[in-house]
Amino acid sequence: MIKKLAGVLLLASVIFTGTCAVDSEWGDEAGYSLYSDIGAYINNNPIKSCNIEGNTVVCAADLENYGFSVIWDGRNRLVKIERGTKGITPQEKVYKDAKRAGMPAKPYLSTDIRAEMGGKTVQCYNIDGRTMVRFDDLEKFGEVKWDGVQREICLELDRLPMAQKTEIEENPNVVTMYASDGRTITVGTDEVEKYKAVNWHEDISEVTATLYAKDGRTLTVFADEIPVYLKLNWYRSDPNAKMVALTFDDGPSKYTEAILNQLEKYGAKATFFVVGNRVSQYSDILKRESELGMEIGNHSWDHANLTKLSESGIKAQKTKTDNAVSAVTGKNTTLFRPPYGSKSTAVASAYNMPLILWSVDTLDWKTRNAKSTVDAVMNNVKDGDIVLMHDIYESSARAAVELIPKLIEQGYQLVTVSELGNARGGLKNGTVYTGIRNN
Ligand code: NI
């Protein structure tokens, strides 16, 4: 049972009040903990939970209150979870975690602690010093049921009474905020100031956006007027100021989420050249890319070298990918990047879309090193550059999280490839683009 989620969870303080020393923000093998809109129950009693890489997880220590015996073996750094004899202790109110979509995903750290359930080793994680285990693994002790409509996961332990089911409530310590491009996020009340500093608003009537014309005029409009002005040759980004298009190939993947979080936080855009056969597995992530206004490009169905295919073979690669993308986003892809950058006249004409290569090659796939990826960009970037990265590596996601504020600080507007093209005369089907400079 896989629960994929589209947002981010920063674990609310009501959930994890424990403190722990975390050496680095990312840890050595950090991953991303995601928000959860899923309620978890044991015999209908709500239990605090969150989401790691598509799995609902609970704190091992909390299981003590739910009829389990939880024993810490410090010598072996082992948490042993067994079915106990105790009943279930009613808990204080359990809240669902907030959807804090604008913040970087909170990293969880690798752990040297092992966990066993019923004598068998199970996967565990460390969040803020707490050992977390997968709810699914509790099926060793009883029946785990998933209710996809209510978005609830329930464990039924026999020999213990079933409680009256109580609805898990949304967290009251959160506030909805608004951005000028129509995005909304829910953040903790303690985070409101931090978000205001990066142009989020508590009051929707405050939300305006600045639009730009080629002749240097600017205009402030309310958020809902933006589409009208865009049709009248106004631009979201200043066409006369520095622009860079970050592009990410070969995804979507589980690392894409962290990149999206950072782009969203800074109101930045990027282009994702997706591989069609990955879309069904990561449809929630693709959907979020689209909802955030990112551009979706076509990077073939299965990363084939298109120069080796027949015309109908090339067209099939394009169409299958378009169909998969539009089934999720409602829109076809707008741009094309051939796998390996491998192109020919036949490939370009069969695809018949703007053919986007790059002007800054980070070689992130080769180095798998966040610092060299960041350096490759910061040491070379110029106005009009198209930067090549891959959202299938953790190192690339880390690099992107670092790069986004750095580039903005240097005065670059982070735009989609089409936005860059539109500001500079438009893109033509079948034409090859590397960087797109101002003439
Ligand atoms: Ni590729």
XYZ file of all heavy atoms in Angstrom, residues 259-310:
416
model
N 12.926 20.021 -4.556
C 13.196 21.108 -5.510
C 11.949 21.975 -5.635
O 12.016 23.205 -5.593
C 13.606 20.530 -6.883
C 14.853 19.641 -6.740
C 13.833 21.654 -7.896
C 15.213 18.864 -7.993
N 10.800 21.336 -5.740
C 9.535 22.081 -5.856
C 9.283 22.937 -4.619
O 8.817 24.071 -4.716
C 8.372 21.112 -6.072
C 8.347 20.393 -7.414
C 7.213 19.371 -7.457
C 8.219 21.373 -8.574
N 9.587 22.385 -3.466
C 9.365 23.148 -2.229
C 10.152 24.448 -2.238
O 9.651 25.502 -1.863
C 9.797 22.329 -1.018
C 8.957 21.102 -0.835
O 7.836 21.041 -1.312
N 9.507 20.111 -0.166
N 11.389 24.351 -2.666
C 12.250 25.534 -2.655
C 11.811 26.518 -3.745
O 11.768 27.727 -3.507
C 13.717 25.095 -2.852
C 14.733 26.192 -2.623
C 14.925 26.497 -1.141
O 14.019 26.352 -0.327
N 16.113 26.946 -0.793
N 11.464 26.016 -4.915
C 10.961 26.893 -5.980
C 9.713 27.618 -5.491
O 9.549 28.824 -5.682
C 10.635 26.072 -7.236
C 11.827 25.515 -8.010
C 11.356 24.454 -9.003
C 12.577 26.627 -8.749
N 8.844 26.882 -4.824
C 7.600 27.491 -4.364
C 7.869 28.554 -3.309
O 7.306 29.643 -3.352
C 6.660 26.430 -3.799
C 5.357 27.063 -3.335
C 4.307 26.063 -2.904
O 4.663 25.013 -2.344
O 3.119 26.356 -3.108
N 8.745 28.236 -2.396
C 9.038 29.188 -1.326
C 9.504 30.520 -1.906
O 9.145 31.582 -1.419
C 10.098 28.608 -0.389
C 10.443 29.563 0.744
C 11.490 28.981 1.680
C 11.851 30.006 2.744
N 12.978 29.538 3.566
N 10.330 30.455 -2.935
C 10.906 31.679 -3.504
C 10.118 32.206 -4.701
O 10.566 33.119 -5.380
C 12.377 31.440 -3.879
C 13.251 31.391 -2.647
C 13.522 30.194 -2.006
C 13.759 32.568 -2.094
C 14.287 30.152 -0.854
C 14.524 32.542 -0.942
C 14.786 31.329 -0.329
O 15.541 31.301 0.817
N 8.962 31.610 -4.969
C 8.155 32.077 -6.093
C 8.906 31.939 -7.414
O 8.708 32.713 -8.346
N 9.790 30.952 -7.511
C 10.606 30.764 -8.718
C 9.995 29.674 -9.598
O 9.218 28.851 -9.132
C 12.024 30.371 -8.310
N 10.346 29.713 -10.882
C 9.851 28.701 -11.811
C 11.031 27.923 -12.399
O 12.162 28.418 -12.446
C 9.070 29.359 -12.958
C 7.924 30.257 -12.503
C 6.790 29.474 -11.857
C 5.649 30.388 -11.444
N 5.147 30.110 -10.102
N 10.732 26.734 -12.906
C 11.745 25.916 -13.577
C 11.026 25.040 -14.594
O 9.797 25.020 -14.647
C 12.493 25.049 -12.567
N 11.816 24.347 -15.395
C 11.246 23.467 -16.417
C 11.682 22.029 -16.134
O 12.861 21.788 -15.856
C 11.717 23.909 -17.810
O 11.337 25.277 -17.978
C 11.090 23.061 -18.904
N 10.721 21.118 -16.189
C 11.002 19.703 -15.927
C 10.800 18.912 -17.207
O 9.681 18.845 -17.724
C 10.096 19.188 -14.811
C 10.416 19.802 -13.463
C 9.884 21.032 -13.098
C 11.290 19.173 -12.579
C 10.198 21.614 -11.874
C 11.612 19.742 -11.355
C 11.064 20.973 -11.001
N 11.876 18.334 -17.732
C 11.780 17.481 -18.912
C 11.573 16.051 -18.427
O 12.511 15.403 -17.951
C 13.041 17.604 -19.772
C 13.112 18.917 -20.507
C 13.838 19.986 -19.990
C 12.430 19.097 -21.710
C 13.887 21.211 -20.660
C 12.479 20.310 -22.376
C 13.205 21.370 -21.854
N 10.328 15.601 -18.497
C 9.995 14.328 -17.865
C 10.076 13.164 -18.853
O 9.899 13.328 -20.054
C 8.592 14.370 -17.215
C 8.497 15.507 -16.207
C 7.483 14.496 -18.255
N 10.369 11.999 -18.302
C 10.385 10.757 -19.074
C 9.002 10.114 -18.900
O 8.570 9.862 -17.774
C 11.511 9.834 -18.562
C 11.434 8.465 -19.230
C 12.871 10.475 -18.819
N 8.331 9.870 -20.033
C 6.926 9.449 -20.006
C 6.640 8.233 -19.143
O 5.637 8.201 -18.434
N 7.523 7.242 -19.182
C 7.193 6.015 -18.457
C 7.366 6.134 -16.943
O 7.112 5.191 -16.218
C 7.961 4.807 -19.021
C 9.454 4.859 -18.738
O 9.932 5.737 -18.019
N 10.206 3.935 -19.320
N 7.796 7.315 -16.456
C 7.879 7.522 -15.011
C 6.629 8.227 -14.472
O 6.473 8.388 -13.250
C 9.105 8.367 -14.657
C 10.413 7.692 -15.028
C 11.586 8.576 -14.687
N 11.756 8.784 -13.266
C 12.472 8.008 -12.467
N 13.072 6.943 -12.960
N 12.583 8.276 -11.184
N 5.784 8.682 -15.394
C 4.686 9.550 -14.987
C 3.679 8.829 -14.085
O 3.241 9.371 -13.077
C 3.985 10.147 -16.226
C 2.641 10.755 -15.862
C 4.885 11.196 -16.863
N 3.344 7.582 -14.410
C 2.298 6.942 -13.604
C 2.775 6.727 -12.173
O 2.017 6.896 -11.228
C 1.836 5.635 -14.251
O 2.877 4.703 -14.232
N 4.057 6.401 -11.998
C 4.568 6.186 -10.639
C 4.609 7.475 -9.825
O 4.430 7.461 -8.606
C 5.957 5.543 -10.692
C 6.384 5.018 -9.326
C 7.827 4.555 -9.287
O 8.474 4.356 -10.322
N 8.361 4.398 -8.095
N 4.878 8.591 -10.516
C 5.047 9.857 -9.795
C 4.018 10.893 -10.234
O 4.322 12.071 -10.350
C 6.471 10.395 -10.016
C 7.537 9.506 -9.436
C 8.295 8.664 -10.249
C 7.774 9.494 -8.069
C 9.265 7.838 -9.709
C 8.743 8.664 -7.519
C 9.489 7.845 -8.344
O 10.438 7.028 -7.799
N 2.792 10.426 -10.450
C 1.790 11.344 -11.002
C 1.481 12.506 -10.050
O 1.239 13.624 -10.494
C 0.521 10.580 -11.364
O 0.019 9.935 -10.222
N 1.514 12.256 -8.737
C 1.244 13.344 -7.786
C 2.295 14.442 -7.898
O 1.994 15.632 -7.764
C 1.234 12.823 -6.343
C -0.032 12.038 -6.044
O -0.856 11.889 -6.959
O -0.177 11.583 -4.902
N 3.526 14.037 -8.124
C 4.611 15.025 -8.216
C 4.482 15.808 -9.512
O 4.621 17.036 -9.532
C 5.977 14.325 -8.079
C 6.123 13.832 -6.641
C 7.112 15.263 -8.447
C 7.328 12.992 -6.386
N 4.160 15.109 -10.592
C 3.961 15.794 -11.871
C 2.806 16.803 -11.756
O 2.899 17.937 -12.235
C 3.648 14.784 -12.977
C 3.441 15.420 -14.343
C 4.779 15.839 -14.947
C 2.703 14.499 -15.287
N 1.752 16.387 -11.081
C 0.595 17.256 -10.908
C 1.003 18.517 -10.146
O 0.616 19.625 -10.499
C -0.483 16.485 -10.131
C -1.821 17.161 -10.094
C -2.911 16.107 -9.877
C -4.295 16.724 -9.969
N -4.772 17.240 -8.688
N 1.796 18.334 -9.131
C 2.219 19.496 -8.336
C 3.116 20.410 -9.170
O 3.016 21.631 -9.093
C 2.927 19.028 -7.068
C 3.289 20.181 -6.175
C 3.494 19.777 -4.717
N 3.969 20.946 -4.004
C 5.128 21.008 -3.371
N 5.920 19.948 -3.326
N 5.498 22.123 -2.778
N 4.004 19.831 -9.987
C 4.836 20.647 -10.887
C 3.937 21.564 -11.703
O 4.159 22.762 -11.807
C 5.650 19.750 -11.842
C 6.794 19.012 -11.180
C 7.507 18.035 -12.124
O 7.103 17.903 -13.309
O 8.461 17.376 -11.661
N 2.908 20.964 -12.271
C 2.019 21.714 -13.139
C 1.245 22.781 -12.353
O 1.139 23.929 -12.774
C 1.071 20.728 -13.828
O 0.087 21.408 -14.536
N 0.729 22.407 -11.190
C -0.055 23.348 -10.380
C 0.782 24.541 -9.915
O 0.252 25.630 -9.711
C -0.651 22.635 -9.164
C -1.841 21.766 -9.528
C -2.291 20.863 -8.388
O -1.642 20.844 -7.311
O -3.284 20.158 -8.580
N 2.061 24.311 -9.728
C 2.930 25.405 -9.277
C 3.384 26.288 -10.436
O 4.162 27.211 -10.244
C 4.167 24.839 -8.559
C 3.919 24.203 -7.197
C 5.199 23.556 -6.675
C 3.418 25.239 -6.210
N 2.914 25.984 -11.643
C 3.285 26.814 -12.788
C 4.645 26.471 -13.375
O 5.226 27.256 -14.122
N 5.159 25.302 -13.051
C 6.406 24.863 -13.676
C 6.067 24.416 -15.102
O 4.937 24.015 -15.388
C 7.021 23.691 -12.893
C 7.227 23.987 -11.417
S 8.298 25.411 -11.137
C 7.781 25.886 -9.477
N 7.066 24.469 -15.985
C 6.827 24.032 -17.353
C 7.207 22.557 -17.474
O 8.209 22.118 -16.908
C 7.667 24.881 -18.323
C 7.342 24.574 -19.771
C 7.809 25.677 -20.711
O 8.793 26.374 -20.403
O 7.171 25.822 -21.782
N 6.375 21.803 -18.198
C 6.653 20.372 -18.375
C 7.101 20.153 -19.822
O 6.355 20.433 -20.762
C 5.400 19.512 -18.100
C 4.703 19.923 -16.795
C 5.772 18.036 -18.102
C 5.483 19.687 -15.538
N 8.318 19.634 -19.962
C 8.853 19.326 -21.274
C 8.853 17.822 -21.518
O 8.737 17.021 -20.599
N 8.992 17.449 -22.791
C 8.949 16.051 -23.224
C 10.385 15.533 -23.391
O 11.168 16.091 -24.150
C 8.193 16.016 -24.560
C 7.793 14.620 -24.978
O 8.593 13.703 -24.937
N 6.541 14.481 -25.400
N 10.725 14.490 -22.640
C 12.081 13.932 -22.695
C 12.015 12.469 -23.141
O 12.790 11.639 -22.675
C 12.725 14.062 -21.309
C 14.224 13.889 -21.293
N 15.080 14.556 -22.130
C 15.019 13.125 -20.491
C 16.333 14.199 -21.866
N 16.327 13.321 -20.883
N 11.043 12.189 -24.037
C 10.818 10.854 -24.614
C 10.075 9.933 -23.650
O 9.900 10.260 -22.485
C 12.122 10.169 -25.067
O 12.746 9.500 -23.981
N 9.663 8.796 -24.133
C 8.918 7.831 -23.319
C 9.835 7.035 -22.400
O 9.589 6.888 -21.218
C 8.128 6.875 -24.217
C 7.448 5.789 -23.435
C 7.792 4.473 -23.364
C 6.312 5.944 -22.571
N 6.959 3.799 -22.523
C 6.027 4.687 -22.013
C 5.516 7.036 -22.212
C 4.986 4.473 -21.129
C 4.464 6.823 -21.324
C 4.211 5.555 -20.790
N 10.950 6.527 -22.965
C 11.801 5.654 -22.142
C 13.281 6.007 -22.277
O 14.142 5.150 -22.157
C 11.550 4.182 -22.489
C 11.771 3.897 -23.972
O 12.243 4.805 -24.691
O 11.481 2.764 -24.417
N 13.547 7.270 -22.517
C 14.916 7.763 -22.611
C 15.704 7.076 -23.728
O 16.900 6.800 -23.614
C 15.648 7.631 -21.262
C 16.645 8.717 -21.038
N 17.962 8.601 -21.391
C 16.513 9.962 -20.529
C 18.599 9.726 -21.083
N 17.739 10.573 -20.556
N 15.020 6.823 -24.817
C 15.675 6.190 -25.969
C 16.579 7.191 -26.688
O 16.353 8.397 -26.621
C 14.602 5.699 -26.935
N 17.590 6.684 -27.367
C 18.361 7.526 -28.282
C 17.543 7.667 -29.570
O 17.487 6.759 -30.388
C 19.718 6.883 -28.561
C 20.579 7.797 -29.426
O 20.070 8.720 -30.089
N 21.873 7.552 -29.419
N 16.899 8.798 -29.726
C 15.902 8.963 -30.789
C 16.509 8.926 -32.187
O 15.816 8.583 -33.146
C 15.137 10.280 -30.590
C 14.398 10.418 -29.250
C 13.776 11.802 -29.124
C 13.321 9.341 -29.111
N 17.803 9.250 -32.303
C 18.421 9.248 -33.638
C 18.486 7.829 -34.202
O 18.707 7.634 -35.385
C 19.850 9.834 -33.613
O 20.625 9.081 -32.687
C 19.836 11.301 -33.189
N 18.274 6.829 -33.353
C 18.326 5.438 -33.807
C 16.944 4.890 -34.159
O 16.811 3.725 -34.512
C 18.951 4.559 -32.717
C 20.344 5.026 -32.312
C 21.305 3.855 -32.188
C 22.761 4.279 -32.340
N 23.359 4.796 -31.132
N 15.917 5.734 -34.015
C 14.547 5.259 -34.256
C 14.013 5.763 -35.593
O 14.476 6.768 -36.133
C 13.612 5.738 -33.140
C 13.932 5.289 -31.705
C 12.866 5.797 -30.742
C 14.049 3.770 -31.616
N 13.007 5.057 -36.092
C 12.316 5.483 -37.313
C 11.439 6.693 -36.994
O 11.193 7.009 -35.822
C 11.418 4.349 -37.805
O 10.384 4.141 -36.855
